[in-house]
Amino acid sequence: MAVDIQPACLGLYCGKTLLFKNGSTEIYGECGVCPRGQRTNAQKYCQPCTESPELYDWLYLGFMAMLPLVLHWFFIEWYSGKKSSSALFQHITALFECSMAAIITLLVSDPIGVLHIRSCRVLMLSDWYTMLYNPSPDYITTVHCTHEAVYPLYTIVFIYYAFCLVLMMLLRPLLVKKIACGLGKSDRFKSIYAALYFFPILTVLQAVGGGLL
């Protein structure tokens, strides 16, 4: 196999993207950021993510998916309590919202249309924070090589939270307005208002602490 010979890339996550392949001949571009769904290998070439998530990856995704549901249930109980018999229906609706959001997220992730995702293996903690490892060869110019080395474990959580929020805004206000008659007008929507606070908090948690978690 013939591969063009170029100097090795600087930094941990800079790589060369495949530009042309004809039989055994491969031509790569200059060092830079890898496209979405790819990460650098040991030879500093961008390679597609073709592996399946490991058990630990699924446990992490399951934990992040359960956080909104648990918080929904907590605030539904907190603001409903014994004042209304609608809490059970709101619990079921929250479960439906999060379940549908998870299914839709898997369906729109690569490969599209199946309940399966392809991923890149997590090798070290820095894989989650590639933005901190952009090299500066002359200490003046920074080569930006930030990409999702843990594809799709980082962005798929944000997509899931977005679908959770959209489904909640579509379904929950109608349900609460119909069945939460035992609560005052200012109380019946408080569990929804609470979600508008904790979803940004969860987003920041994933953005900053995803790798640590």
Side-chain angles (χ1 to χ4, degrees), residues 90-156:
Q90 293 186 62
H91 285 315
I92 295 174
T93 304
L95 177 61
F96 175 77
E97 293 165 4
C98 293
S99 300
M100 286 302 300
I103 293 173
I104 295 173
T105 301
L106 291 176
L107 290 176
V108 300
S109 299
D110 192 28
I112 298 175
V114 297
L115 296 176
H116 172 75
I117 57 177
R118 62 181 183 88
S119 68
C120 286
R121 191 178 301 277
V122 181
L123 302 178
M124 47 189 172
L125 179 62
S126 61
D127 290 347
W128 291 84
Y129 306 103
T130 57
M131 75 289 292
L132 302 178
Y133 294 88
N134 292 322
S136 299
D138 53 4
Y139 299 99
I140 298 176
T141 305
T142 301
V143 181
H144 295 281
C145 298
T146 300
H147 65 281
E148 190 177 7
V150 294
Y151 176 87
L153 301 182
Y154 192 76
T155 55
I156 197 172

Side-chain angles (χ1 to χ4, degrees), residues 173-192:
L174 297 176
L175 174 74
V176 172
K177 187 175 180 180
K178 291 290 184 181
I179 67 175
C181 299
L183 297 174
K185 289 184 178 180
S186 62
D187 293 334
R188 65 177 65 180
F189 295 108
K190 281 187 176 180
S191 63
I192 299 176

